[in-house]
Amino acid sequence: MDKPSPTPSRRRGLSPHVRKALWRTGLVVLVMVVSSYILSNNLLGPFGAFIKGPQGASLDRLTRVVHRWGSPVPIRDFPLVVLVELEQQSIGQLSPDSYVFNRGQLARLTQKILTYAPKGIFLDFDLRHPSNEGGVLSAGDRELLALLKQIQTPLLLPDTEVLGQPLGRLNPYLHAVQAQVFYDSDGQTRKIPRPQSGQPVAASLGLYCLGLGIHLQDGKHCQQAVASGSPKADGKRIVYREIRRFKAHTQGRQLWPNLVVIEGLDFFNDGLVQSEETQGALFLVGRTYPKGDDVHFSAIGPVQGIDIHVNALLTLATYRSFSETLGWGPVLMVVPLVVFLALWLTYSITDGWLKFSRFQGFVQALIETAIAAWFLFLAGVLILQYTGHFLDYLYPIVAFQTGALLLKLFAGGKKDESKASDKGQEVADKLKEIVEGTGDG
């Protein structure tokens, strides 16, 4: 009597959704790494716009999402950033009835900042010419000039001369920086100007280097602090956060955890406590009144120039582009994990819950891509928010769309190859029939 054959044990493996998500995750990460190398070295030249364009729109949406959220903590040991703003009340009391802010008050404000032993100061003022017409120095001009001659703290100014004198001859601690913002083709401010050899660095980059302890006279070292890849590549993208204003003697929390904003009049009245945290801080001083002056367009709307400098500086101190950290194991582990979860949720919906829908073809053709884009957008938000990465063009949506396009092209080639193979087999069968028929005859 034959014994019944034992039933083979079922081998449990990964579900189709998981396998598909794993395969697509590997493809997304591969596209991100390859595009990082290509774009950071400008290998595509002007054709790189076909990749940068779509990701720019995605990053604009991301900026609008996170600009009212708290940011990650800046790099370790980066100093406190203090914005001393000259708003309406401060200007009304410190420099009344004057379009040009009183230079004597600016000298006294700078002198008070020096009591905090700052690592660097940026004065966002046009100081090329005297206050009075005709080139005559006022008493305030002379007071400011005397201070600038003897200052021994790095002080950044937006021009190469002050009150008619070149900075280099006046004091080696005075440095000219690029204070003009960088516009994209649509007139929006998105990026920090990339440092160019022989040209002043951006104000935010100069302050960032001082915060790291890099002397600005070592221009090459300062440029290398953020300039990776080809010299022709774009500057680093700015992540904007809402800079909150609180009245004097009012406690409030900034979305940048390393930022303090104080009104000029309050600062004069000892509103900024002398402490271990404020000692060695980076100071920016600028006007925010009239509000219509020095306004530039960005992804979150109109932003004043001094606020752009603050956001740019803290972007440099907080965020890293994926292309700058390819060697970091934690980054390469976090990115695939979050992308995998996004794609797994997508395929669980499209290949699972909606698999037996009457509109399965429509789901596969359109809804799958849309759902994946939304989940990957959320993944990008989470990665940027909690790890400080995906600052540049290496955004998961673009990588996914590029990978999907490559898969379609490859699948189309495979189908054509299969059709050609079938056609060839038909011809071979016909020839065989002819040969066999001739032999029988």
Side-chain angles (χ1 to χ4, degrees), residues 295-363:
V295 171
H296 309 272
F297 291 101
S298 71
I300 62 170
V303 181
Q304 289 192 304
I306 193 66
D307 286 3
I308 293 177
H309 292 308
V310 171
N311 277 292
L313 169 60
L314 289 168
T315 294
L316 292 172
T318 306
Y319 292 100
R320 291 293 176 272
S321 301
F322 185 78
S323 54
E324 296 175 355
T325 54
L326 287 178
W328 289 15
V331 176
L332 291 176
M333 291 172 61
V334 169
V335 172
L337 175 62
V338 178
V339 172
F340 166 75
L341 290 175
L343 294 179
W344 174 71
L345 287 171
T346 299
Y347 300 134
S348 296
I349 294 173
T350 58
D351 296 353
W353 302 341
L354 302 178
K355 183 177 181 180
F356 301 105
S357 170
R358 290 184 299 173
F359 307 101
Q360 183 180 4
F362 175 75
V363 168

Side-chain angles (χ1 to χ4, degrees), residues 11 25 57 93 118 127 180 277 311 390 411:
R11 296 174 60 184
T25 298
Q93 295 197 31
L127 302 176
Q180 291 79 13
E277 188 179 16
N311 277 292
F390 285 148

Side-chain angles (χ1 to χ4, degrees), residues 51-62 190 237 393 398:
I51 298 179
K52 297 175 185 177
Q55 62 88 20
S58 296
L59 287 171
D60 282 346
R61 288 194 294 270
L62 186 147
R190 293 187 178 92
R237 190 179 179 97
Y393 43 79
V398 181

Side-chain angles (χ1 to χ4, degrees), residues 371-392:
I371 294 176
W374 276 107
F375 279 128
L376 287 170
F377 178 80
L378 177 60
V381 170
L382 294 176
I383 291 173
L384 181 70
Q385 183 65 22
Y386 296 106
T387 71
H389 292 86
F390 285 148
L391 184 57
D392 50 8

